[in-house]
Amino acid sequence: MKNIVVLVSGGGTNLQALIDASERGEIENGRISCVVSSNPNAYAIERAKKHNIDYAVIRRKDYKSLDSYDEALTALLLEKKADLVVLAGFMTILGDKVIKQFENRMINIHPSLIPSFCGAGFYGLKVHEAALARGVKVTGATVHFVNEICDGGPIILQKAVEISDDDTAETLQRKVMEQAEWKILPKAVSLFCSEKISVQGGRTIIKD
Ligand code: GAR
């Protein structure tokens, strides 16, 4: 059984999708062993408590430098014996050490079809505002491995969502979550835990 540690900062609806999938037996060979929040007031922590999942809080502002924060986060994830680290709405910049330590063992959910609307500054509602401003007709979500390039690691799964003329950033965010994020994140986690994902030359190969 692999230990899945989920990193969160806010509402935690993607965490909830993972918990629900796990309780339905859809995460093969993995269990959510801990939730780590960058924000002590995140509603995601309430979700962890409700399901008796261990949790910890680590705040960037309690560390003087990115390096010391990086050290502390790496040590916490090692102490929690994480086999897979899932960034599920985690809004804090990561240091090189934790990225290297969990190379090809850390995944992120991003609310667009990468390489559109991604990289530094594209997070949360801003992603959907940018998609609407550009006038694209289709957007979606992407699960990818995390590397040193922001939103630049090997892509694992993507799912498209159609945009309507009357969508606002808020309605689009909800649509992308419901139709894409909450489906592909648990699926990618299950694929990882059952060792069905390999990385070759910056691309993933999925055995199904
Ligand atoms: C989700 O839409 C996730 O894709 C996004 O933040 C939201 C978190 O919601 N992540 C990013 O924008 C990362 N660049 P949640 O806390 O309800 O899961």
Side-chain angles (χ1 to χ4, degrees):
M1 219 27 150
K2 292 198 194 295
N3 289 326
I4 305 161
V5 176
V6 186
L7 271 54
V8 296
S9 299
T13 65
N14 279 289
L15 167 66
Q16 190 67 51
L18 289 170
I19 294 172
D20 293 346
S22 176
E23 290 183 350
R24 288 194 302 265
E26 290 170 12
I27 309 245
E28 254 179 78
N29 199 36
R31 55 181 277 270
I32 304 170
S33 54
C34 185
V35 170
V36 173
S37 178
S38 63
N39 163 13
N41 303 315
Y43 185 68
I45 295 176
E46 300 308 312
R47 297 183 193 271
K49 284 185 190 165
K50 237 180 249 171
H51 293 267
N52 294 316
I53 299 170
D54 176 31
Y55 70 92
V57 175
I58 181 164
R59 295 192 303 181
R60 172 67 183 86
K61 67 175 183 195
D62 291 338
Y63 296 86
K64 284 207 180 82
S65 63
L66 176 58
D67 278 356
S68 56
Y69 168 72
D70 194 17
E71 287 278 339
L73 181 59
T74 307
L76 176 63
L77 295 174
L78 290 174
E79 180 200 316
K80 299 293 178 188
K81 298 188 170 22
D83 296 306
L84 171 66
V85 177
V86 180
L87 308 184
F90 191 64
M91 299 301 180
T92 306
I93 299 288
L94 298 174
D96 293 343
K97 186 174 176 139
V98 74
I99 292 172
K100 203 78 217 135
Q101 179 72 43
F102 290 96
E103 189 178 15
N104 294 339
R105 295 192 298 136
M106 181 185 282
I107 66 177
N108 179 48
I109 177 86
H110 182 78
S112 76
L113 294 174
I114 289 175
S116 290
F117 312 116
C118 65
F122 285 100
Y123 58 88
L125 267 187
K126 289 179 194 287
V127 178
H128 305 293
E129 284 163 2
L132 289 175
R134 182 61 185 84
V136 293
K137 303 295 185 191
V138 175
T139 184
T142 303
V143 182
H144 63 91
F145 281 115
V146 174
N147 68 9
E148 65 292 348
I149 302 160
C150 182
D151 297 327
I155 291 170
I156 303 169
L157 294 176
Q158 295 188 297
K159 193 164 191 301
V161 173
E162 288 196 11
I163 298 180
S164 323
D165 292 340
D166 58 357
D167 267 324
T168 62
E170 288 78 10
T171 63
L172 189 56
Q173 180 179 50
R174 183 78 194 176
K175 252 192 208 175
V176 169
M177 284 176 159
E178 281 176 359
Q179 295 177 25
E181 296 184 43
W182 302 342
K183 294 186 173 155
I184 62 174
L185 184 60
K187 182 152 187 227
V189 167
S190 182
L191 287 168
F192 178 90
C193 292
S194 46
E195 297 184 353
K196 289 183 176 154
I197 310 174
S198 61
V199 181
Q200 291 171 22
R203 302 169 60 185
T204 65
I205 312 284
I206 301 186
K207 286 186 255 158
D208 225 353

